[in-house]
Amino acid sequence: YQQNPKTHTIVKQLLAEGNAGELQKYFGSRMEFGTAGLRAAMGAGISHMNDLTIIQTTQGFCRYLEKNFSDLKKRGVVIGFDARAHLSSGGSSKRFARLAANTFISQGVPVYLFSDIIPTPFVPYTVTHLKLCAGIMVTASHNPKQDNGYKVYWENGAQIISPHDKGISQAIEENQEPWPQAWDDKLIDSSPLLHDPYAMVNKEYFKDIQKQCFYRNINKETNLKFVHTSVHGVGHKFVQLAFKAFDLSPPFAVPEQKDPDPDFPTVKYPNPEEGKGVLTLSFALAEKDGARIILANDPDADRLAVAEKQESGEWKVFSGNELGALLGWWIFTCWKNNSRDTRAIKDVYMLSSTVSSKILRAIALKEGFHFEETLTGFKWMGNRAKQLMDQGKAVLFAFEEAIGYMCCPAVLDKDGVSAAVITAEMASFLATRNLSLSQQLKAVYDEYGFHITKASYFICHDPEVIQQLFDNLRNFDGKNTYPKSCGRFKVSGIRDLTTGYDSSQPDQKAILPTSKSSQMITFTFANGGVATMRTSGTEPKIKYYSELCAPPGNSDVEQLKKELDELVNALEKHFFQPEKNKLQRKTE
């Protein structure tokens, strides 16, 4: 008797064919459990997401939680899922979530399993709201359709950080034999340990985000129209509810993309970060309905892209850094003008990741609140925000350039639902002043100094080439010397978070945590430019992020852009050396 006939058949077929190469791919190595949990294609074998690997992962996670929480059986865990499914292997987010729930319940652990698809931020929200020990979200976010993932939150409501990933990984290794009845997920339906938080969270979450609603009267009256797309994911219903909670008229939903569809039929990649290609249908609907602003969520609704129609009739898609600047300005302004928060400005914080724009630093310096940068990824911002909140500080906002925004302290992770409705309120308010989002962005830069950013990546499938490229940067002019210049641009500072070196610190040691397992070097240039080169945790890419920060008053934007373009060209030519290293450029 085999537990999953579909994956069983796939493997049997390969055995019959004697296909050693494919079998090696399926069974050669187990998926690695990292701080982002699991992310891999659905299919057979221990290198893929399937019933067995989900059971094994959850068994390990369960044992690890038992070791860390004496009251696990009192508090329990929450599990959510998106709408992904894979016909050929029988895997789906819902099936995986039910198997995970079954594993915990078999050990007497209460499980709050959402009965229907939800946005990813609802899981960290529920952990915090119900004071649970942990949360699991089964989603692959905006990855290609064959992928799925298993994302883990700790009791503080933030994604796990080291050493939990190592601990869980080890516990998975130690618990690979499926427990009795591991596959029998029907058992959970009659268990008193199974709870459905869906109705409660749908009420409480929308009540909590209303604390960020400051202009209800304007929202009621505005004649600004919005288009929303959930890109075949989970976002539609929840963004509609968020608009209702803010007294805004519902946005026009892109009909072809509003219902969940695991095939993502209308887009090449279901990732709004990829820009205009994903938004083609949104532009068409906006033209038809006379909407000026488009709000686009990724399939698990934790990210948000925004586009606005310009006077010229062109559409401008804001970068993550530009929207970060707008939301940072807006949320601070609302706090200053309307907040009933009695805390002094010295107790107010904003965060962003080290590869994101430093515009918040400029606003913080001028306005007198605190800005901190963290390592890349929301797990760092979520954990740091929680630490600060526990010290009585107000963390108003955090963002990363990969279109992730945390606008509401009830969710310590990126949240595309609250970000969408807060952006809509900001746009409605600005419209009463006859300002567009683009005009306000320029006003922010005029006041706090222009911050121009440019990011891209090269694809490289050979880890040795990547290692060689970074070794070369660390031994540029002889052993242990970093580059002193990049083309005509003089290097004034170097921070290497792989080795922990920072030339700007008195003891030459970096302040941010160091990780030997990933490559990351930041160069500061004499002209006010900054560029970071890093490897990606989830893809075969070497990414770079560059920014030119000008002091307020320097308004020659075209000159700044030209200078940044030249800096980026020099970076590619001298530091990446794409021809020599056979790197493949990002294709637009």
Side-chain angles (χ1 to χ4, degrees):
Y1 172 68
Q2 72 277 353
Q3 302 292 1
N4 181 330
K6 289 187 170 175
T7 45
H8 185 260
T9 307
I10 296 169
V11 176
K12 232 164 101 171
Q13 183 77 34
L14 292 173
L15 282 168
E17 293 164 6
N19 190 335
E22 280 298 293
L23 284 165
Q24 179 63 32
K25 257 196 335 224
Y26 286 20
F27 292 97
S29 63
R30 173 169 292 281
M31 285 179 291
E32 205 164 312
F33 190 97
T35 48
L38 299 172
R39 184 77 65 91
M42 291 178 269
I46 57 170
S47 60
H48 292 127
M49 301 277 295
N50 55 54
D51 294 1
L52 176 64
T53 50
I54 291 293
I55 288 168
Q56 293 172 324
T57 300
T58 311
Q59 289 181 173
F61 188 33
C62 180
R63 288 289 179 256
Y64 185 75
L65 289 173
E66 286 169 346
K67 218 164 67 187
N68 279 276
F69 297 103
S70 56
D71 54 357
L72 176 65
K73 290 185 174 162
K74 208 166 74 215
R75 290 162 68 192
V77 300
V78 54
I79 302 177
F81 56 90
D82 69 10
R84 287 179 178 255
H86 188 241
L87 278 175
S88 61
S89 71
S92 74
S93 298
K94 183 173 187 170
R95 165 118 185 110
F96 295 160
R98 284 181 61 85
L99 288 168
N102 189 38
T103 301
F104 278 106
I105 284 174
S106 75
Q107 304 303 297
V109 178
V111 172
Y112 294 81
L113 172 68
F114 281 94
S115 52
D116 203 349
I117 55 170
I118 51 154
T120 294
F122 277 23
V123 168
Y125 176 83
T126 308
V127 172
T128 304
H129 195 78
L130 295 178
K131 302 186 174 54
L132 306 179
C133 295
I136 298 166
M137 178 69 192
V138 184
T139 178
S141 192
H142 52 265
N143 272 38
K145 63 183 180 187
Q146 67 272 15
D147 289 359
N148 216 327
Y150 185 105
K151 196 169 178 178
V152 172
Y153 296 85
W154 202 241
E155 67 162 341
N156 62 357
Q159 289 178 54
I160 55 164
I161 48 176
S162 210
H164 293 312
D165 55 329
K166 312 253 187 321
I168 295 166
S169 198
Q170 195 186 332
I172 295 168
E173 292 293 331
E174 292 161 5
N175 289 281
Q176 294 195 1
E177 174 74 33
W179 299 336
Q181 300 175 310
W183 264 277
D184 198 355
D185 64 305
K186 304 240 182 340
L187 292 171
I188 65 177
D189 297 316
S190 56
S191 169
L193 293 171
L194 183 74
H195 308 278
D196 177 11
Y198 192 85
M200 181 275 298
V201 171
N202 266 312
K203 196 171 86 213
E204 298 295 323
Y205 170 87
F206 293 104
K207 220 158 66 189
D208 272 339
I209 64 168
Q210 287 179 53
K211 294 177 189 142
Q212 316 303 315
C213 175
F214 295 105
Y215 293 98
R216 210 171 271 286
N217 291 339
I218 290 176
N219 297 347
K220 279 180 191 156
E221 302 296 312
T222 186
N223 36 24
L224 209 53
K225 291 177 179 167
F226 300 91
V227 157
H228 175 248
T229 177
S230 41
V231 193
H232 304 296
V234 304
H236 170 72
K237 174 182 169 177
F238 303 98
V239 169
Q240 296 279 328
L241 286 169
F243 268 63
K244 202 169 137 186
F246 273 52
D247 274 325
L248 284 152
S249 298
F252 298 108
V254 176
E256 301 91 332
Q257 295 177 335
K258 82 177 179 54
D259 297 323
D261 185 334
D263 281 328
F264 305 110
T266 65
V267 291
K268 192 172 163 203
Y269 298 109
N271 182 2
E273 256 187 294
E274 299 287 336
K276 294 194 166 169
V278 180
L279 298 178
T280 311
L281 292 169
S282 301
F283 294 139
L285 181 65
E287 297 289 355
K288 179 169 108 23
D289 287 334
R292 207 180 73 205
I293 292 174
I294 290 165
L295 304 165
N297 288 121
D298 68 342
D300 68 329
D302 64 350
R303 294 173 192 229
L304 173 74
V306 177
E308 180 182 56
K309 194 174 185 179
Q310 306 300 293
E311 292 293 307
S312 64
E314 289 280 302
W315 284 94
K316 173 180 170 62
V317 181
F318 294 94
S319 71
N321 285 324
E322 291 172 329
L323 193 57
L326 278 168
L327 284 167
W329 162 79
W330 174 250
I331 288 168
F332 177 71
T333 306
C334 290
W335 180 85
K336 196 170 66 177
N337 297 342
N338 304 299
S339 179
R340 289 176 278 295
D341 191 336
T342 52
R343 279 175 285 203
I345 193 152
K346 67 173 177 39
D347 288 329
V348 168
Y349 281 74
M350 287 195 184
L351 313 173
S352 71
S353 68
T354 178
V355 296
S356 303
S357 169
K358 293 291 163 281
I359 183 67
L360 297 183
R361 183 177 63 191
I363 301 176
L365 276 169
K366 195 164 174 184
E367 300 291 350
F369 62 91
H370 290 273
F371 165 74
E372 275 190 20
E373 66 169 3
T374 69
L375 290 177
T376 315
F378 251 90
K379 59 186 180 204
W380 297 105
M381 285 181 274
N383 278 283
R384 181 62 183 141
K386 180 73 171 105
Q387 279 179 341
L388 289 165
M389 285 156 65
D390 287 347
Q391 294 162 20
K393 313 292 186 203
V395 180
L396 297 187
F397 178 60
F399 89 96
E400 62 177 5
E401 51 68 48
I403 63 174
Y405 312 95
M406 180 181 116
C407 305
C408 174
V411 174
L412 295 179
D413 197 12
K414 52 188 182 286
D415 178 355
V417 178
S418 57
V421 73
I422 288 168
T423 300
E425 177 170 89
M426 165 170 66
S428 303
F429 173 86
L430 289 169
T432 65
R433 307 282 196 276
N434 287 322
L435 288 168
S436 65
L437 292 173
S438 311
Q439 287 166 323
Q440 180 55 39
L441 180 64
K442 187 176 178 314
V444 170
Y445 287 148
D446 283 336
E447 183 162 352
Y448 301 106
F450 273 86
H451 287 59
I452 295 171
T453 58
K454 196 170 182 181
S456 191
Y457 58 79
F458 289 94
I459 293 170
C460 179
H461 290 283
D462 184 350
E464 279 173 29
V465 169
I466 295 178
Q467 185 64 48
Q468 189 55 53
L469 187 151
F470 280 92
D471 283 348
N472 183 38
L473 290 171
R474 294 186 181 104
N475 303 280
F476 205 74
D477 299 315
K479 200 166 161 44
N480 292 331
T481 59
Y482 291 89
K484 294 182 179 59
S485 65
C486 180
R488 70 174 179 86
F489 298 97
K490 198 171 157 324
V491 173
S492 60
I494 288 180
R495 184 188 64 187
D496 186 336
L497 288 180
T498 307
T499 63
Y501 169 73
D502 187 340
S503 65
S504 70
Q505 294 300 326
D507 61 356
Q508 314 266 292
K509 286 192 170 65
I511 295 169
L512 286 175
T514 302
S515 167
K516 290 189 176 46
S517 62
S518 58
Q519 300 284 352
M520 179 155 164
I521 305 178
T522 301
F523 301 92
T524 308
F525 296 93
N527 68 345
V530 182
T532 294
M533 296 170 60
R534 67 181 274 260
T535 47
S536 162
T538 47
E539 300 159 304
K541 290 175 179 176
I542 315 171
K543 301 182 170 186
Y544 67 80
Y545 308 81
S546 63
E547 178 165 41
L548 203 53
C549 308
N554 178 349
S555 56
D556 189 350
V557 186
E558 289 317 307
Q559 180 50 41
L560 289 169
K561 280 187 178 154
K562 190 168 157 284
E563 177 94 349
L564 185 62
D565 284 342
E566 286 175 21
L567 176 62
V568 164
N569 290 341
L571 188 75
E572 291 192 348
K573 182 177 162 191
H574 299 288
F575 288 3
F576 279 95
Q577 303 178 311
E579 284 71 36
K580 185 188 127 187
N581 290 314
K582 301 190 175 57
L583 306 176
Q584 191 185 328
R585 277 177 193 279
K586 172 186 176 178
T587 47
E588 279 311 331

